[in-house]
Each structure stands twice: as structure tokens, then as C-alpha cells.
Amino acid sequence: MNRFCWVLLLFIFGCKSTPDQFVYSSGALKQDNAEFLQQVQAQQFNKTELAQVAEYAFKNGRCDKALLLAEKFQLPVNLRSAYQTLFQCLMQKQQFAMAERALSLGADPAFVSSAEAEQDTALVLAARFGQISLLKALIRRGETPGKAAFYAGVSGDIHRDPGLSLQLLELFKPYVSRAMLRYRSGDAPVLYQLLSNQFPEAAVIPVVRELLQLGVLPDDGQQRNAVHPIGATFAYKDTPLLLVAESSQIAALLLKAGADPAARAKRQRAERLAALRAGMNTKQGLITDIRATGVQVQDNNGSRWLDWRHIDI
């Protein structure tokens, strides 16, 4: 029997399902929203039963259907399970327009806590996906942007839009603190991550300029090692300056803000040391042997060992 006949029989014979039967047996949750509401209305549920249908829909993972019922029949929107709320469910499913509607109906923006050390909040998710209207709604509800939300929005790592990064930066400006500017995710600070995304230079310059004016450190990057097969490691700092062309406008902004102009040369030296092999020539002679502590070179005066620090390349 198809679902149309099922609905028709309900009208003809007055066969009314219980809320759980309607949700779990009728297939109503698989229908589009218009048909779903028609089937709900055909059942002639009372207010209590409608609330139960909404709760069953929510617990079945269909938070969109639960919100539709809440909107249509003025039902509570703060449904909650052991691991999420209705609003949280909408946010985690990236149904942001519906989440904003839930807020307007009085949904609590707080998420049910999880075991994660740094659980995403509504602000973090909205910032990560560039949902400015939703962010403004959350701020109006008293939510205060923190360092994770600032990083998620301004870095542009997920929404991939430097224009949105700039808008989010402007939105977050009243809340900016030193902790927000120094925050690292996956050991990458915000400016470094922004430039790692390789956005077009013209698009990202306004964001870089604003971040530097706010006090982001121009050399805040990541520690790296160039590793020689013999086991020697050569540390250098991968800074924002190394992510852009030497002649770029962004490089000029970084240098003006105090970036180390020798950063590129330091990386090049580390990489060249890691690439040295026996048989190669250095300015100090032919390499005849390599050990973890240094290299042996030979010139017209004979052989000698050089510490890695003293190799001239």
C-alpha cells in the first residue's frame, strides 16, 4: 500500500496511530516537509501527542522535522537527549537557517557537553562555516565569541572565503584579546593558517593588514625540522613570511610589522644541510664522510671534520 492510500484510509476509516507508531511505522519522516505536515494534520493529534511526535522525530535524528512541528503547532523547541539538543542537532547537521529559526523561537544555544576537551560550540560552528547572520543572532542572545570561534572564522580554513574572513574579523573585533590572537589550532596560529590556504593575494591583504594592526605576531608560525638520512636534524621556523612570495605586498606588510627578514635564508640553510651527501663539494672542500655530528671534508691541505654549524654552503 503506498503512502497516499495510507493517508486516504486514515480519513475514511478514522484509524489513528499513536505518536510512536506514526513516526516509526508510517515512513512519514522520509517524506518532504509539505507531505509530512499533511500526514501529521491527517492524524488530528492533540497538543500532547504533537509534542511526542516532535520528540520522537528528534530522537530519530530528524531535527528538521521536529523544528517544523514546533513552528507549526507552537511546541517547545528545547528538546534534549543525553548527547544533544534540538538546536545542537541542527547546527551539527549544518542546517544553519533552521538553527537560526530555532533561536528565534527561543531555543537555548548551549550545547550538551561531550567528553571532548575542546568541544565545538554554536559560535565555533557558525564561524567555521561563515554564517554571519546566525553569529549575530547568537551574540544577541548573549553568547560571547571566544578564541576558537575567532580562529575558525578568520582563518577561513573551512568556509574558504577571505571576504567572509574579513567580515567575521570585524564582527569579532569588540571581543578580541591577546589569547584570541595567540590561539593555535593544530599548532598553526591564525595568520599562518590564513596564508596556508593560498587565497589570492588581493583578497587576503585586508585580512592580513587588520590582523597585524590588532597585534598578531608576524613571525608566529610552526617549528620545522629538515632531516638528513644520517639522523641529523636542522631546525628552522616556518613563519607567515615563508608562505608568500618574497616580492609580494603581504611580505612587505609582514616585514614592516617586524617579521624576521632572514627567515627564508634560515630555512634554505636547513634544507641544504639535510641534502648534503658524500661526494658533493662545499666551499670548504669535498665531502668524504657524513656523521650525525658533522661532515668530513677534504681540500688541498688534507681532511678535517666540521661541525654542522661551521659548514659554509
Side-chain angles (χ1 to χ4, degrees), residues 45-283:
F45 288 126
N46 61 37
K47 195 91 168 186
T48 299
E49 292 169 327
L50 287 167
Q52 290 174 340
V53 171
E55 185 167 356
Y56 286 133
F58 162 62
K59 290 183 176 179
N60 201 44
R62 294 310 305 265
C63 40
D64 56 333
K65 294 290 193 288
L67 181 65
L68 282 173
L69 293 174
E71 286 182 303
K72 179 71 176 179
F73 302 107
Q74 294 80 51
L75 302 175
V77 291
N78 283 311
L79 299 176
R80 184 185 182 95
S81 69
Y83 61 94
Q84 66 179 354
T85 66
L86 172 59
F87 175 74
Q88 184 175 359
C89 174
L90 292 166
M91 291 294 298
Q92 291 173 338
K93 289 179 179 289
Q94 298 175 32
Q95 295 173 318
F96 298 119
M98 298 194 80
E100 190 169 347
R101 280 155 49 193
L103 274 183
S104 70
L105 294 171
D108 185 347
F111 283 6
V112 174
S113 298
S114 73
E116 295 181 24
E118 290 194 19
Q119 178 188 7
D120 284 343
T121 64
L123 281 166
V124 172
L125 285 173
R128 182 174 293 143
F129 291 94
Q131 299 296 313
I132 291 179
S133 177
L134 179 54
L135 280 167
K136 290 179 178 178
L138 286 164
I139 291 171
R140 286 195 298 271
R141 286 292 304 270
E143 297 295 296
T144 301
K147 55 189 180 182
F150 177 85
Y151 184 99
V154 177
S155 70
D157 194 36
I158 298 299
H159 62 69
R160 310 296 298 180
D161 184 342
L164 278 176
S165 291
L166 184 60
Q167 291 181 60
L168 290 165
L169 182 53
E170 292 295 330
L171 180 62
F172 291 149
K173 262 188 179 181
Y175 309 95
V176 167
S177 65
R178 180 175 178 175
M180 292 172 76
L181 297 173
R182 305 291 190 271
Y183 179 74
R184 308 170 78 86
S185 178
D187 199 36
V190 64
L191 177 58
Y192 183 91
Q193 183 58 54
L194 177 73
L195 296 176
S196 296
N197 294 329
Q198 298 183 326
F199 295 131
E201 183 183 29
V204 80
I205 281 175
V207 191
V208 174
R209 184 180 289 112
E210 286 290 328
L211 283 171
L212 291 172
Q213 288 177 353
L214 285 170
V216 162
L217 299 176
D219 276 336
D220 197 6
Q222 294 183 312
Q223 288 299 130
R224 304 284 192 190
N225 286 315
V227 182
H228 194 283
I230 202 68
T233 60
F234 310 101
Y236 66 92
K237 191 171 185 180
D238 198 20
T239 69
L241 190 64
L242 303 186
L243 300 175
V244 298
E246 287 187 76
S247 59
S248 67
Q249 293 183 56
I250 294 177
L253 286 172
L254 292 169
L255 290 169
K256 185 178 179 181
D260 179 8
R264 204 176 304 272
K266 291 175 181 177
R267 178 180 67 181
Q268 289 171 348
R269 175 174 171 78
E271 291 173 343
R272 287 170 182 168
L273 288 173
L276 289 179
R277 301 292 184 272
M280 289 183 175
N281 281 298
T282 70
K283 294 179 181 179

Side-chain angles (χ1 to χ4, degrees), residues 228 230 234 272-291 294-299 302-308 311-313:
H228 194 283
I230 202 68
F234 310 101
R272 287 170 182 168
L273 288 173
L276 289 179
R277 301 292 184 272
M280 289 183 175
N281 281 298
T282 70
K283 294 179 181 179
Q284 292 147 302
L286 176 70
I287 297 175
T288 57
D289 195 6
I290 300 178
R291 297 180 183 174
V295 302
Q296 185 181 48
V297 297
Q298 183 174 349
D299 59 16
S303 294
R304 67 188 189 281
W305 282 94
L306 294 175
D307 184 279
W308 290 105
I311 297 172
D312 190 5
I313 55 173

